[in-house]
Structure formats: structure tokens, C-alpha cells
Amino acid sequence: MSLMRSDRQVALNDLHLAMQESADLYEYTAGFLQDPAAAELCKVLAGDRLRLAKLLEQAIRAEGELPSEPDPDKETAEQLQQRLEALFAEDQVSGVISHRLEVERVLKAFVQRDEFEVLKEKSSSLLEDCRQAVDTAVAKLDAFLDAS
């Protein structure tokens, strides 16, 4: 493991952290939602993100590096914010799913950033899988809100 990371290593690590944090938050959300359909949706999305985080972790390790771990304080703050928003929302489930949708839209902009273009040479399918997973999550969350 070196002190200086290449642009590729930084991009892989940033993408890994984003997918791992997302998986953690979906797992947390699934654990407190009272609606079985919403909880199941969050479990499915968490599983998908966890799968991507593991693939990214393998790519980082193949580069001779160790993946970073999500910041527990940041995750706790996000969890608290989500709980408070749910507490004060008229419809807890819609409020939480709307919040997750908002976060997904931010994540969508994040994974489209130019800094990830460095991954196209060796990891284009992995990058595309991450981008597609975010698009799919946005569509599923939108559909859930439309149906409720």
C-alpha cells in the first residue's frame, strides 16, 4: 500500500465508499420501516449496493490498496436525519422513500462526475454497473411513490 494513490485508485475508493454508505443506509432504513413493501424495497437496494461495494473492494485490492471504510459519524448523522424526517412526515413511509429518492438523485450526479472517467479503461463495466444501479434505484423509488 502506497501513500500516494493514483487517480484510478482514488476513483475506485470514492465509488466504493458511496456504494457502501448507500448499502448501509438502505439496510438501516429497512430495519425501521413499518411498511413491509417499503422495507423489502430497501433490502433489495441494499443488497444490490453491497454487491457493487464488494466488487469495488476487490478492484481496489487488485490495485494493491486497501479500501476505505465509511465514516461512522457521517452515517449516524444521516440515520438521525432520516429518523427525524420520518417522525415529522405526514406519511412516514412516503417521507422516508422521498428522502431516499432525493439521496439517489445526488448519488446519480456523483457517479456521473468526470473524475470517474479514469475507470473507463480498465473498469468500464464496473462503473457502468454502478451508474445503472443508481438509475434503477431512482426508477424503483419513483414507482413506489407513484403506487402509494
Side-chain angles (χ1 to χ4, degrees):
M1 186 168 100
S2 66
L3 293 177
M4 296 292 290
R5 288 184 170 174
S6 68
D7 290 343
R8 175 179 161 66
Q9 291 167 333
V10 169
L12 283 170
N13 195 60
D14 288 351
L15 208 49
H16 170 261
L17 281 174
M19 293 300 118
Q20 185 64 55
E21 287 171 356
S22 179
D24 292 347
L25 287 169
Y26 275 118
E27 286 175 349
Y28 174 79
T29 302
F32 81 81
L33 280 176
Q34 306 267 332
D35 182 278
E40 182 60 28
L41 173 59
C42 289
K43 286 178 188 174
V44 167
L45 294 175
D48 190 40
R49 293 297 159 79
L50 194 54
R51 178 186 64 79
L52 290 168
K54 287 182 180 187
L55 290 172
L56 288 158
E57 180 179 337
Q58 290 171 357
I60 292 167
R61 289 182 187 279
E63 295 279 319
E65 293 292 320
L66 295 174
S68 297
E69 291 295 318
D71 179 352
D73 292 335
K74 179 182 173 191
E75 285 190 342
T76 299
E78 175 68 24
Q79 292 169 354
L80 181 59
Q81 177 187 0
Q82 189 168 280
R83 279 279 189 159
L84 289 173
E85 286 178 3
L87 186 62
F88 294 110
E90 276 185 48
D91 178 357
Q92 179 198 33
V93 174
S94 291
V96 169
I97 298 299
S98 293
H99 177 77
R100 298 291 348 131
L101 181 57
E102 183 181 315
V103 171
E104 283 299 316
R105 289 187 173 133
V106 171
L107 186 57
K108 182 174 180 162
F110 177 77
V111 299
Q112 295 296 331
R113 289 176 21 191
D114 289 341
E115 73 185 57
F116 295 115
E117 295 303 308
V118 71
L119 298 178
K120 285 202 169 179
E121 185 180 324
K122 292 184 181 177
S123 303
S124 62
S125 64
L126 187 52
L127 175 61
E128 193 52 42
D129 285 351
C130 290
R131 288 175 172 170
Q132 184 60 46
V134 174
D135 289 341
T136 299
V138 167
K140 286 181 177 183
L141 293 167
D142 259 336
F144 184 89
L145 287 173
D146 288 345
S148 59

